[in-house]
Amino acid sequence: MTINQISVFLENKPGTLSGLTETLAENNINMRAMSLADTSDFGIARIIADNADETAALLRKNEYVVKVTPVLALEIPDEAGSLNRILKLLGTKGCNVEYMYGFTGRKTNSAYMIMRATNVSEAEKMLENSGIHLVGTIELEKV
């Protein structure tokens, strides 16, 4: 099961990121996770929000350049080696991870990883067949 991630392209200058978060806050949009990557000229904010489609539409209305991408959300034990086991599994099956970022939820002993793989549907099947718990949008709202 995949979830939708919102990628927002931002100019790399002071105040741009706070403008984005202000737009989200003013519209009562709660971010579950966020990752920021940059170059000298622009940045990409990758966001997991409660309703990706509504959030993307709102951001487009506010003249942000937005892309919605399917990604995987994995629930893993919050202990040493958990992520390594998953990455080894994917690597031995020839699945490349393009990027990922993590966060912890309110649950105890759980961490969550947002992952974009070269072939999302193939990675999804591999992980599910290996007993890795993939988290859907509704479940992610509760972590």
Side-chain angles (χ1 to χ4, degrees):
M1 110 185 39
T2 61
I3 63 170
N4 285 331
Q5 169 191 266
I6 304 156
S7 296
V8 185
F9 298 90
L10 302 168
E11 282 188 85
N12 193 356
K13 64 180 190 179
T16 305
L17 184 57
S18 66
L20 170 66
T21 58
E22 184 174 4
T23 300
L24 297 174
E26 287 174 348
N27 288 277
N28 202 32
I29 294 174
N30 188 18
M31 292 186 292
R32 297 289 168 195
M34 180 181 190
S35 169
L36 185 64
D38 74 323
T39 67
S40 59
D41 297 327
F42 69 93
I44 301 173
R46 293 183 172 116
I47 301 169
I48 303 298
D50 288 345
N51 189 320
D53 294 331
E54 286 180 16
T55 302
L58 168 77
L59 292 172
R60 286 184 184 112
K61 180 181 169 188
N62 283 275
E63 300 183 10
Y64 286 95
V65 177
V66 176
K67 180 179 179 185
V68 177
T69 308
V71 294
L72 299 169
L74 294 68
E75 180 180 11
I76 62 175
D78 189 7
E79 60 189 33
S82 294
L83 179 59
N84 182 54
R85 287 188 289 276
I86 292 168
L87 294 176
K88 284 178 102 172
L89 168 73
L90 292 170
T92 60
K93 303 284 186 178
C95 184
N96 185 44
V97 175
E98 295 177 356
Y99 60 82
M100 65 186 323
Y101 51 99
F103 64 100
T104 57
R106 288 178 234 139
K107 291 182 176 183
T108 57
N109 299 321
S110 292
Y112 299 87
M113 298 301 300
I114 304 299
M115 176 185 297
R116 173 72 179 171
T118 306
N119 186 328
V120 173
S121 61
E122 185 178 304
E124 178 182 12
K125 288 176 192 170
M126 280 189 274
L127 293 168
E128 286 178 339
N129 290 339
S130 298
I132 306 300
H133 183 205
L134 299 177
V135 181
T137 303
I138 294 171
E139 189 175 353
L140 197 59
E141 290 176 10
K142 299 174 185 175
V143 300

